[in-house]
Amino acid sequence: MNIVVDGMGGDFAPKNVIEGVKLALAERKDITKLLLTGDEQTLKNAMQAAGLSDRRIEIVHASQVVDMHDPATAPLRQKKDSSITVAADLVKKGEAEAVFSAGHTGASVAATSVKWRMLKGVDRPGIASPVPAEHGLGLILDAGANVDAKPQHLVQYAVMGSVYLKHVIGVQSPKIGLMSVGEEDHKGTDFTREVFGLLKDAPVNFVGNIEGNDIFDKGIDVILCDGFTGNVVLKTCEGTAKIMFKWLKSEIKASPLRMLGALIAKNAFKSVKERGSYESYGGSPLLGVNGICIIGHGSSSALAVKNGIRVACESVSHRVNPHIEEELAKLGK
Amino acid sequence: MNIVVDGMGGDFAPKNVIEGVKLALAERKDITKLLLTGDEQTLKNAMQAAGLSDRRIEIVHASQVVDMHDPATAPLRQKKDSSITVAADLVKKGEAEAVFSAGHTGASVAATSVKWRMLKGVDRPGIASPVPAEHGLGLILDAGANVDAKPQHLVQYAVMGSVYLKHVIGVQSPKIGLMSVGEEDHKGTDFTREVFGLLKDAPVNFVGNIEGNDIFDKGIDVILCDGFTGNVVLKTCEGTAKIMFKWLKSEIKASPLRMLGALIAKNAFKSVKERGSYESYGGSPLLGVNGICIIGHGSSSALAVKNGIRVACESVSHRVNPHIEEELAKLGK
């Protein structure tokens, strides 16, 4: 298969992107061609620095880069020759089947949504952000593509999240939990109550309302929410984990004895950090667009880029989009 | 001053409540009378078990208890003789100035809102839940009293949160951050953008949009949000902290060496736990009602109850409600 990688996307591009591409190509023989978009000379230099030369790589020049201060619509207006615009166009022209980008999330959503349009039965795309739940992979869906969502959008997300987990990850009957402010059926806002009613009749394994403290240890596979709530939840998890490590560090530094103990137990801290890291997931699928787009964390490491490319390949090979259209056709029947 | 304590409120009532009352009475000479509501015999037995006898205590019998499965309206309908209903009535009759309850949050909100009504200039009450920020006390406001909020409600919350922090906690110019999905002014939903516009003209120190990962370490004093978002944020913080301690424990138990190290450094873990604990804050003020109501965590310990009663006393002595009405009168002028 052919995959496009946004060579300029991410806080540490192109270095980490190129290093991630190198790891991905070494691992995946199913990649026939890997198209890299971005400034040709910059990418060539980065490839040389990383010692990367692979005949499967083809650089497709793009003169611009969407940066964090640009509006989401930049790839469609001010920066039509940006690396993400050119990447989306390559899929549109049929030259590749999937895009990975660790760049501006909103720009990736806008470029792919507008250029590729939606799958049949989908009104809005949703970002499925992985969270390290106790039982395995959980998905916060939508994590921020669609902040002014309508109830039917969430029902479509529930179906898409189920299909993704079933066909790509191999979860038999993914549990869908609706983020709310109490577990009882009637708890929540007018919006969540409407979604609740629609989900009862949808072809998914809806387990009811969940709360913010149910994300990790209640066996929920899809944490369903509007894009505003999902984005706030995701960043709150990150912020809480970060502050706890910070406090732990400062408390340990408070005495030489504590420092000694922490040194002896240091692998435990390392394991917890790894367990909570996004690196092994690599990226968040943007579900609902008519093509495969995997969104990486802005600060993606080479390992995260490699895993993001893996998620792109798996989404293609497991035919997630045709399956989504099939399942959505059952809605409202 | 006279304070009412809901003797039956909380998962560990009346035991923890009575023990907390004992601690509070030992510490606070400014409490003239402490009214305890609930079943008279049950409370007498618990007082005896705790070795509590203080002439300032007066038991006011209430034959019912609102439990976690009751609807929020129970104190006003099915359980009109509940401990929280009787507590709210005592303030209404002028026999006490503040209520502390660790019982059903929605029931406390409903009982006090309906019986006391709102302060002048307030449309809806908001729960100000304390979070242990790096710089000191942060407040998530609203943490769940008003889940279908209107933009003007959030502006009132911003004013009330500022007044509380200024007059009760002593923060000179409390920083108000609006929970959104990006720091730029235009980021967010139609709802948050409308709130943003209103806040620019409000008599508060509005610092702009904040994100979920800004809660602890950006010096924000009031994390302003609608009650749905606030409740989800609060519980997500709790859930993330809980899972991290769980993972750390299981990773430490994975080897005897790690266990040894953790034993040596154990005070560091203890300090982090204490830093994140709600116990020292004691309770969340319900701002906007015409009286003082402090809502405790359902699983409040004796220490949390003691501190909740302290927060109630301080809200009375610093005259938070008259100050709120003064400040709100400036809105729209």
Side-chain angles (χ1 to χ4, degrees):
Chain A
M1 67 186 82
N2 297 354
I3 304 289
V4 198
V5 173
D6 174 357
M8 311 301 281
D11 305 343
F12 308 107
K15 185 175 178 291
N16 288 6
V17 179
I18 297 297
E19 288 172 1
V21 163
K22 188 178 175 186
L23 296 172
L25 286 173
E27 198 173 282
R28 300 202 71 97
K29 301 303 160 200
D30 57 348
I31 299 178
T32 319
K33 202 194 266 185
L34 194 143
L35 300 141
L36 259 179
T37 62
D39 180 72
E40 190 167 2
Q41 199 51 55
T42 307
L43 292 174
K44 276 185 177 163
N45 294 346
M47 281 173 66
Q48 201 166 25
L52 169 59
S53 84
D54 190 303
R55 308 189 75 179
R56 291 175 289 171
I57 293 181
E58 184 183 310
I59 294 177
V60 183
H61 182 70
S63 63
Q64 297 171 305
V65 180
V66 176
D67 70 44
M68 287 307 142
H69 303 289
D70 284 319
T73 50
L76 302 162
R77 296 186 187 159
Q78 306 92 325
K79 293 187 172 176
K80 287 185 184 171
D81 195 38
S82 74
S83 56
I84 183 65
T85 317
V86 172
D89 277 332
L90 286 165
V91 172
K92 195 182 172 189
K93 286 188 274 183
E95 293 183 29
E97 287 147 286
V99 168
F100 170 82
S101 175
H104 188 306
T105 298
S108 297
V109 174
T112 57
S113 302
V114 171
K115 289 184 178 284
W116 304 352
R117 317 302 296 180
M118 297 299 113
L119 292 171
K120 208 174 157 184
V122 178
D123 291 318
R124 290 276 192 293
I127 298 171
S129 260
V131 286
E134 286 269 280
H135 69 288
L137 175 72
L139 293 176
I140 296 179
L141 177 59
D142 168 30
N146 177 19
V147 297
D148 278 304
K150 304 234 176 318
Q152 66 268 28
H153 301 162
L154 269 72
V155 179
Q156 295 165 10
Y157 294 154
V159 172
M160 295 196 285
S162 292
V163 169
Y164 179 82
L165 285 167
K166 209 165 166 178
H167 291 278
V168 181
I169 311 296
V171 181
Q172 273 320 302
S173 179
K175 287 183 185 163
I176 312 290
L178 177 62
M179 184 56 80
S180 189
V181 294
E183 290 184 6
E184 298 86 351
D185 294 7
H186 64 277
K187 285 284 179 74
T189 60
D190 294 342
F191 178 86
T192 64
R193 274 188 293 265
E194 196 177 335
V195 176
F196 192 102
L198 294 171
L199 284 171
K200 284 199 296 185
D201 302 322
V204 294
N205 180 15
F206 175 50
V207 299
N209 286 331
I210 57 168
E211 299 186 87
N213 48 0
D214 298 331
I215 294 170
F216 297 100
D217 59 358
K218 293 283 168 71
I220 305 299
D221 298 299
V222 176
I223 296 126
L224 190 67
C225 35
D226 66 274
F228 180 83
T229 305
N231 194 272
V232 169
V233 164
L234 188 68
K235 289 176 179 159
T236 299
C237 292
E238 284 178 13
T240 307
K242 199 181 71 185
I243 203 75
M244 285 189 65
F245 274 116
K246 197 173 168 186
W247 288 351
L248 203 50
K249 209 170 169 179
S250 87
E251 289 296 343
I252 283 167
K253 282 190 173 167
S255 96
L257 193 65
R258 289 178 181 183
M259 282 170 77
L260 173 69
L263 191 68
I264 295 170
K266 74 166 190 253
N267 285 338
F269 300 108
K270 213 177 137 218
S271 299
V272 172
K273 266 208 169 162
E274 277 167 9
R275 206 159 161 179
S277 161
Y278 59 88
E279 280 195 333
S280 59
Y281 300 105
S284 306
L286 179 66
L287 299 176
V289 288
N290 188 15
I292 300 296
C293 174
I294 308 299
I295 293 170
H297 200 286
S299 55
S300 285
S301 63
L303 182 62
V305 170
K306 182 201 81 163
N307 286 321
I309 295 171
R310 188 201 72 221
V311 174
C313 294
E314 288 171 351
S315 296
V316 173
S317 64
H318 291 285
R319 305 183 65 250
V320 66
N321 281 350
H323 288 302
I324 285 176
E325 289 191 331
E326 272 165 40
E327 277 305 304
L328 282 175
K330 292 182 192 165
L331 262 185
K333 268 195 185 160
Chain B
M1 66 186 84
N2 297 354
I3 304 288
V4 198
V5 173
D6 173 357
M8 310 301 281
D11 305 342
F12 307 107
K15 186 175 178 290
N16 288 5
V17 178
I18 296 299
E19 288 172 1
V21 164
K22 189 178 175 186
L23 296 172
L25 286 173
E27 198 173 283
R28 299 202 71 96
K29 302 301 159 202
D30 56 350
I31 299 177
T32 319
K33 201 193 269 188
L34 194 143
L35 300 141
L36 260 179
T37 62
D39 180 73
E40 189 168 3
Q41 198 52 54
T42 306
L43 292 174
K44 277 186 175 164
N45 294 346
M47 281 173 65
Q48 199 166 25
L52 168 60
S53 82
D54 190 302
R55 307 190 75 179
R56 291 175 288 170
I57 292 181
E58 183 183 313
I59 294 177
V60 183
H61 181 69
S63 64
Q64 296 170 309
V65 180
V66 176
D67 71 45
M68 287 306 142
H69 303 289
D70 284 321
T73 49
L76 303 161
R77 294 184 189 163
Q78 304 93 325
K79 294 186 170 175
K80 288 184 184 172
D81 195 39
S82 74
S83 56
I84 183 65
T85 316
V86 172
D89 277 331
L90 286 165
V91 172
K92 195 182 172 189
K93 286 186 276 184
E95 295 184 28
E97 288 148 287
V99 167
F100 170 81
S101 175
H104 188 307
T105 299
S108 297
V109 174
T112 56
S113 301
V114 171
K115 288 183 180 287
W116 303 351
R117 320 299 297 181
M118 297 298 111
L119 292 171
K120 209 175 158 184
V122 178
D123 291 317
R124 290 277 192 291
I127 298 171
S129 260
V131 287
E134 285 270 279
H135 68 288
L137 175 72
L139 294 176
I140 295 179
L141 177 58
D142 168 31
N146 177 19
V147 297
D148 279 302
K150 304 233 175 318
Q152 68 268 25
H153 301 162
L154 269 71
V155 178
Q156 294 165 10
Y157 294 154
V159 173
M160 294 195 285
S162 293
V163 169
Y164 179 82
L165 286 167
K166 207 165 167 178
H167 291 278
V168 180
I169 312 296
V171 181
Q172 273 321 300
S173 179
K175 288 183 185 163
I176 313 290
L178 177 62
M179 183 55 78
S180 189
V181 294
E183 288 183 8
E184 298 86 352
D185 293 8
H186 64 277
K187 286 282 179 77
T189 59
D190 294 342
F191 178 87
T192 63
R193 276 188 293 267
E194 195 176 335
V195 176
F196 193 102
L198 294 170
L199 285 171
K200 284 198 296 185
D201 301 322
V204 294
N205 180 15
F206 176 49
V207 299
N209 285 331
I210 57 167
E211 299 187 86
N213 47 0
D214 298 332
I215 295 170
F216 298 100
D217 58 359
K218 293 283 168 70
I220 305 298
D221 298 300
V222 176
I223 296 127
L224 190 65
C225 35
D226 66 273
F228 180 82
T229 305
N231 193 272
V232 169
V233 163
L234 188 67
K235 288 178 180 159
T236 299
C237 292
E238 284 178 11
T240 307
K242 198 182 69 182
I243 202 75
M244 285 189 65
F245 274 116
K246 197 174 168 185
W247 289 351
L248 203 50
K249 210 170 170 179
S250 85
E251 289 296 343
I252 283 166
K253 283 191 173 165
S255 95
L257 193 66
R258 290 178 182 183
M259 282 170 76
L260 174 70
L263 191 69
I264 295 170
K266 73 167 192 251
N267 285 339
F269 300 107
K270 212 177 138 215
S271 298
V272 173
K273 267 208 167 162
E274 277 167 9
R275 207 158 159 178
S277 160
Y278 57 88
E279 279 196 333
S280 59
Y281 299 105
S284 307
L286 179 67
L287 299 176
V289 287
N290 188 15
I292 299 297
C293 173
I294 308 300
I295 292 171
H297 199 287
S299 54
S300 285
S301 63
L303 182 63
V305 171
K306 183 201 82 168
N307 285 321
I309 295 170
R310 187 201 72 221
V311 174
C313 294
E314 287 171 352
S315 297
V316 173
S317 64
H318 292 285
R319 302 183 69 251
V320 65
N321 282 348
H323 288 301
I324 285 176
E325 288 191 331
E326 272 166 38
E327 277 306 302
L328 281 174
K330 293 180 192 167
L331 263 186
K333 267 196 187 158

